Amino acid sequence: MTCWGSPVPVNDLTSLLSVALLARVGPARDRLRDALVQAGATVVLEDDPNSLQPDALRDADVGTVLIALEPAIEDALERLDPVLASPRLTLIFDEAELAARREGWEAQRWARHLAAKLHGHHDVLPPGSEQDGLLQPEPGLPVTPAELHADAPLEFHVREAFDAASDVPADGLYQPPEGYSEPMSLEEALAAMQVPAAAPQINVPPPVPTAPAIPAVPAAPLGDHSSWSLVDEDTAVVAAVPPPPPPSVPAVPSDFDIERLSLVELEPEGSPSDAAPGAVLVLAGIGGPDALRRLLAALPAGLAVPILVYMRLDGGRYGNLVTQMKRVSALPVLLAESDQPVLAGNAYILSDDVGVAVHNRGLHFSADAQGIRVDALPPAHSGVVVLSGGDAALVDEVLGLAVAGAWVAGQTGEGCYDPLAASAVIAAGMAAGDPKQLAQAIEERWGVSE
């Protein structure tokens, strides 16, 4: 994924199209030059950052600087930082290794995003893919078929179905079971229930059965009514069987010491660590570094909650992202490492194999091949901010965390070049704002540590 980044853009469209290309000689530089020409930009300056002097870049009077990032130019970027930090410049970063092997459809896609950035619009679709209107999710349940046809007359359809029933072909493979007959009408069913006239019969006395011998029961005294009972006429008298004695209960020893009883601890004892109980997770993507720079630049030092940044990079150069974000952030920007506590007042860049887990009531980084899992954040103490290019596949997990009590917000306004995930979050009723407004909302919610 391409890395984009800039301070708050204040230059107009004409100056944006005036570009300085900083890259070492090679395929990456050639591919980036072709993409700039395809985007309608004018390459005013093209040079190797290792040999370029700050005054030459300042005198070029460009509005945009496109930089091909690689480890060989990191020292040069530090040397050029006084010029690159100018608020009138828009910075665009790309991985040199990715740019060198980007071709075909992927190269065309990157060029369209570059053109959208330079021209200040959101159209990144290929030619012929224009839509009549932008589909936006709307709140509420969809209309059901019953509601659509609530007032439609059904009598006509019922009659038509009744008239066509005889013309429906029967299934030739179906064989009715033996003894099957058509259902009877009500009149036939009533006639079948009539009892036919009984034929005259000769009264023959039934044989008298011989009663079995009943064992003699000893007579109880007249005053003893415990043996009285109601007996059916045809039921033999059975002698009452005494109930079995109740089971014996072991006696409690008299020397049982109840003063030695105590409550068992539900959780093991242990003092909580300095790790924060929750964090604010920032999801970004294409166009994300630009929004991420503006968000981190607006957050105050000593923020009482840690910031976790997740932005997938194809090249995995998360160290470069840490270096770039350090230049604008008042918070310390660190690369997250497993088995380390998550401390308030820091901003952490998450790589693809680092997640979070709660240990001893505090948040810690953990090794996780799946990366960050949104549902691992404690909802009562956490939040999620979805910036431009956030992963749309995580929207359901983000909204689930919001239902559990977390604070969730999405980016709006200019600079949101990929609003799919952010718009879905906002359409669900979550908070919305540009990066600076979202930073103010974070500060108001969590505060600043003294």
Side-chain angles (χ1 to χ4, degrees):
M1 181 174 293
T2 302
C3 290
W4 302 65
S6 73
V8 178
V10 296
N11 41 4
D12 56 13
L13 180 60
T14 303
S15 61
L16 278 175
L17 296 176
S18 177
V19 181
L21 174 58
L22 305 185
R24 295 201 305 164
V25 177
R29 183 164 161 178
D30 298 338
R31 299 285 172 82
L32 294 178
R33 185 192 314 111
D34 295 341
L36 288 171
V37 173
Q38 183 177 349
T42 301
V43 181
V44 177
L45 174 65
E46 180 179 335
D47 203 346
D48 186 339
N50 293 321
S51 59
L52 180 64
Q53 297 301 319
D55 292 340
L57 178 59
R58 185 182 298 107
D59 297 339
D61 193 21
V62 296
T64 302
V65 179
L66 175 57
I67 304 174
L69 289 175
E70 54 182 320
I73 68 169
E74 290 185 357
D75 294 339
L77 293 182
E78 293 290 343
R79 180 171 49 83
L80 297 174
D81 185 67
V83 181
L84 296 176
S86 173
R88 68 182 184 85
L89 289 180
T90 294
L91 305 183
I92 304 177
F93 298 93
D94 191 17
E95 295 285 345
E97 181 181 354
L98 297 179
R101 64 172 185 262
R102 190 185 294 123
E103 58 184 12
W105 179 88
E106 190 67 24
Q108 295 294 328
R109 175 178 175 272
W110 194 90
R112 291 194 300 271
H113 282 276
L114 178 62
K117 180 76 173 179
L118 295 176
H119 291 272
H121 59 73
H122 298 166
D123 184 12
V124 296
L125 296 177
S129 301
E130 296 80 4
Q131 299 180 354
D132 294 336
L134 181 62
L135 297 178
Q136 294 291 347
E138 297 181 357
L141 297 174
V143 180
T144 62
E147 295 173 342
L148 289 175
H149 303 285
D151 300 328
L154 298 178
E155 182 179 358
F156 171 77
H157 301 284
V158 173
R159 290 180 178 178
E160 185 180 16
F162 180 78
D163 296 337
S166 59
D167 299 332
V168 177
D171 190 352
L173 298 178
Y174 173 73
Q175 297 294 334
E178 296 181 1
Y180 172 80
S181 61
E182 293 293 334
M184 295 185 296
S185 64
L186 178 59
E187 292 78 4
E188 294 173 340
L190 291 176
M193 294 175 61
Q194 297 296 328
V195 179
Q201 297 181 356
I202 301 174
N203 294 329
V204 177
V208 179
T210 303
I214 301 176
V217 179
L222 183 60
D224 185 7
H225 58 271
S226 62
S227 60
W228 294 4
S229 63
L230 294 177
V231 182
D232 295 336
E233 294 180 356
D234 298 333
T235 304
V237 179
V238 181
V241 179
S248 59
V249 179
V252 179
S254 58
D255 58 349
F256 185 75
D257 187 5
I258 61 175
E259 295 181 356
R260 300 177 60 186
L261 295 177
S262 63
L263 295 176
V264 178
E265 293 290 340
L266 296 179
E267 294 183 359
E269 289 289 341
S271 59
S273 63
D274 295 334
V280 175
L281 175 63
V282 180
L283 302 177
I286 294 180
D290 183 23
L292 181 60
R293 279 172 170 265
R294 296 162 60 188
L295 178 71
L296 293 181
L299 290 174
L303 188 67
V305 65
I307 303 295
L308 309 182
V309 178
Y310 179 66
M311 183 175 63
R312 185 180 295 275
L313 301 178
D314 291 342
R317 301 290 180 84
Y318 294 100
N320 292 342
L321 186 60
V322 171
T323 303
Q324 297 302 321
M325 294 303 120
K326 280 183 177 179
R327 299 175 180 175
V328 298
S329 174
L331 301 173
V333 182
L334 308 171
L335 185 63
E337 299 180 2
S338 59
D339 301 327
Q340 295 296 320
V342 183
L343 303 179
N346 291 337
Y348 297 93
I349 305 298
L350 301 175
S351 57
D352 296 334
D353 56 354
V354 173
V356 293
V358 177
H359 296 298
N360 199 14
R361 290 167 287 182
L363 207 59
H364 290 70
F365 293 115
S366 61
D368 194 333
Q370 297 180 356
I372 184 67
R373 291 181 292 110
V374 177
D375 56 1
L377 295 172
H381 307 285
S382 302
V384 181
V385 174
V386 183
L387 298 179
S388 172
D391 191 352
L394 299 177
V395 169
D396 290 341
E397 297 183 25
V398 172
L399 295 181
L401 196 70
V403 172
W407 177 80
V408 175
Q411 179 187 353
T412 60
E414 297 182 0
C416 190
Y417 298 98
D418 185 3
L420 181 60
S423 298
V425 167
I426 297 172
M430 302 297 109
D434 59 29
K436 185 176 181 180
Q437 293 171 337
L438 297 178
Q440 293 174 350
I442 295 173
E443 180 181 358
E444 292 175 359
R445 185 176 180 87
W446 278 276
V448 178
S449 300
E450 298 181 356

